[in-house]
Amino acid sequence: MSVQVTFTVLFKRRLKGLAKKYRQIQTDIQPVLDELIQGNFIGNQITGTQYTVYKVRAKNSDSQVGKSGGYRLIYQVESPTQVVLHLIYSALLSLWCKIDQPIQLE
């Protein structure tokens, strides 16, 4: 079964920005895209939403940090034959910027 994979504008914009810093990003995320096209919905399902949303990790060949230095892709399964990639980010950059933590206003 072949799955149609589409990309949001935000995903494309973030990918373009990350590609300036990480030259191998397209090669690194290709195995994830191949799995999705084959119908294998990989990663961890995000709970607490009415949609079927997954977060999957992809390696970052440009960074030698290990698992924490990879990319995270957020995608939604709209149907068994339709997947939408919503977001990509570098876990390493999110650690540096502390994106996952709330901003403290003083």
Side-chain angles (χ1 to χ4, degrees):
M1 171 176 63
S2 182
V3 175
Q4 181 182 7
V5 177
T6 57
F7 307 91
T8 63
V9 173
L10 176 61
F11 185 93
K12 291 178 184 178
R13 189 178 324 133
R14 296 290 297 264
L15 181 62
K16 184 177 179 182
L18 288 169
K20 291 178 183 178
K21 182 171 175 66
Y22 304 111
R23 299 293 181 191
Q24 297 296 317
I25 190 168
Q26 291 183 351
T27 304
D28 290 341
I29 67 170
Q30 191 60 50
V32 173
L33 299 178
D34 292 342
E35 288 290 326
L36 294 176
I37 290 169
Q38 293 174 13
N40 301 324
F41 302 131
I42 57 175
N44 298 321
Q45 187 168 2
I46 298 173
T47 58
T49 178
Q50 63 183 1
Y51 304 104
T52 307
V53 180
Y54 289 86
K55 178 170 80 170
V56 63
R57 182 175 54 226
K59 74 172 188 168
N60 181 345
S61 297
D62 295 307
S63 173
Q64 303 302 320
V65 178
K67 288 183 179 181
S68 65
Y71 306 107
R72 303 298 185 269
L73 289 81
I74 308 295
Y75 68 92
Q76 176 185 354
V77 179
E78 290 191 334
S79 73
T81 60
Q82 178 69 36
V83 169
V84 178
L85 283 153
H86 285 279
L87 182 65
I88 183 170
Y89 62 94
S90 167
L92 185 60
L93 289 178
S94 71
L95 288 174
W96 287 343
C97 300
K98 297 187 179 184
I99 289 174
D100 295 327
Q101 298 193 4
I103 297 172
Q104 301 273 333
L105 298 178
E106 296 180 26

